[in-house]
Amino acid sequence: MAMVGKTFRRLYLGLLPSLFIVMNVMPGVQPAFSHDAAATPAASNPEVFKTAPAGTPTDRPGRNLQFLCIPFLTALNNGVAPVYTESTNSWVHGLDIVVSEIPYVEGNVSWRDHRFKEIRRLFTRRFVGNNLPNHVTGEFPVKEGTAAYSYYKAAPGSPPYETADQIPILPYKLDITIPRWPSYNVVPTCIDQLVSGVATQTGVVWHVNIADGSTGVYGDPLALLPNDTCFGHPFNYPGTPNGQYHYHGWSWKCFPNQGNPKKHSPLFGYALDGFGIYGPRGEGGKVVTNDELDECHGHFGLVNWEGRMRNMYHYHLNYEFPYGPGCLRGRPLKTANSGEKKIFTFPPPPPQ
């Protein structure tokens, strides 16, 4: 381990200036490796996702719910916490999202300028990068004439983009600090920003699983708008050109380490409260269902944590809404942020 430089010392709030830092498996700033999503064996291949029924609330914790307190999201909905509406898109049948019918955003784009690193200190874990993934993505802006184009063209953009099909994937400042040793709280905490976690396997963020299909109409992003085959797409904050690539739903398809299919899924990343986010498999390799998880989409169990097996709380990704953390069991640090302005809606609202 190398001694912390002057820049990083200042960022530790003046405490313990002689602490050491430890980088993750991608030490320092590195170029991305080429990764073909199709060559990665998925943990399993679901035929159907279970989405949220119409009327699903966002103002409380609960199994199969997502507990949100994003100020801008509430403001857009006339000061009231939004509820989910039913999608009429062709790949959605009742509460079933049929995977084979999703009109994915086409393309096979590599991101060789990918940058990401993890910095461990005594009490914190900091992620720094440009939010470009280490795997291929679909092509954004979405090309006219492709299957997904009409859905993005019909969705409003935010300045400088008139419609959502125009939003590109661009480098975005990723700088998030979370607790290294999170504490479990009996009372869940709501998620108060767009970003819900960091996928350390790829260097990209997860977003909360709600989307604004049109003014006042909210729903499951997988049901309202097609992603690429890695279950990601870009979002731009109003007034900025940055297209922040992010994941929804079955996001681990393109992750490089799927683990042993007969064992518990490996660590895929971290939620903002510091607890780990693992893949869909629990003990013995069995896919975890919502009935086995609590209201925040997690539970206690034996997991690999910094090279040691520990019985601790952790989240899972799976095929049932909200697919990942629905609330937080720990508390994010006051310094935890994603460089965002806590502005949320996708697609963004049209200019006023």
Side-chain angles (χ1 to χ4, degrees), residues 23-334:
M23 301 302 182
N24 69 345
V25 293
M26 293 184 288
V29 178
Q30 300 182 356
F33 57 86
S34 176
H35 177 67
D36 183 356
T40 299
S44 56
N45 294 288
E47 297 180 355
V48 173
F49 299 133
K50 291 295 183 181
T51 188
T56 296
T58 60
D59 63 352
R60 70 201 71 166
R63 186 176 284 128
N64 308 314
L65 302 182
Q66 192 168 223
F67 183 24
L68 305 176
C69 50
I70 302 170
F72 189 75
L73 180 61
T74 303
L76 281 175
N77 201 43
N78 298 316
V80 179
V83 298
Y84 285 79
T85 55
E86 183 178 351
S87 171
T88 58
N89 285 327
S90 61
W91 62 94
V92 184
H93 305 273
L95 297 183
D96 293 344
I97 296 176
V98 181
V99 175
S100 62
E101 296 179 8
I102 299 174
Y104 300 101
V105 174
E106 300 172 18
N108 192 36
V109 181
S110 296
W111 301 95
R112 301 191 181 278
D113 291 332
H114 160 83
R115 300 286 187 272
F116 181 76
K117 62 183 177 180
E118 175 184 335
I119 304 166
R120 297 180 188 174
R121 295 178 186 258
L122 187 59
F123 300 115
T124 61
R125 195 185 306 274
R126 184 185 178 200
F127 308 111
V128 180
N130 62 5
N131 204 65
L132 294 179
N134 61 5
H135 57 71
V136 297
T137 68
E139 186 173 354
F140 297 90
V142 182
K143 278 190 172 182
E144 186 173 359
T146 59
Y149 177 76
S150 61
Y151 298 97
Y152 280 83
K153 183 66 176 178
S158 67
Y161 308 110
E162 183 177 352
T163 51
D165 61 291
Q166 301 171 357
I167 302 174
I169 297 174
L170 292 173
Y172 189 92
K173 181 182 179 182
L174 173 63
D175 192 346
I176 298 176
T177 301
I178 64 173
R180 185 175 175 185
W181 309 106
S183 297
Y184 177 88
N185 292 324
V186 174
V187 178
T189 301
C190 60
I191 301 174
D192 69 349
Q193 58 183 288
L194 175 60
V195 172
S196 59
V198 180
T200 50
Q201 282 204 22
T202 63
V204 172
V205 296
W206 281 288
H207 278 197
V208 292
N209 285 304
I210 190 169
D212 182 10
S214 61
T215 303
V217 177
Y218 298 91
D220 179 354
L222 296 187
L224 291 184
L225 199 65
N227 297 291
D228 65 13
T229 55
C230 294
F231 289 83
H233 60 186
F235 168 89
N236 80 293
Y237 293 103
T240 71
N242 302 77
Q244 184 190 58
Y245 186 75
H246 62 277
Y247 298 121
H248 289 297
W250 190 41
S251 57
W252 67 89
K253 179 179 180 180
C254 297
F255 286 22
N257 179 17
Q258 301 287 336
N260 186 326
K262 295 182 179 181
K263 295 183 179 181
H264 194 284
S265 290
L267 179 75
F268 286 168
Y270 298 87
L272 295 184
D273 60 4
F275 284 114
I277 299 175
Y278 292 77
R281 301 189 309 271
E283 295 298 326
K286 181 182 176 182
V287 173
V288 176
T289 67
N290 281 14
D291 287 342
E292 300 169 82
L293 302 173
D294 67 9
E295 60 265 48
C296 289
H297 218 74
H299 63 181
F300 279 90
L302 197 64
V303 293
N304 189 321
W305 185 259
E306 296 197 2
R308 295 180 59 185
M309 299 305 295
R310 298 175 184 269
N311 185 23
M312 65 183 295
Y313 186 82
H314 59 281
Y315 300 104
H316 276 279
L317 303 172
N318 69 358
Y319 314 138
E320 299 174 293
F321 184 85
Y323 312 115
C327 52
L328 299 176
R329 272 299 179 190
R331 288 192 178 276
L333 299 175
K334 291 183 179 179

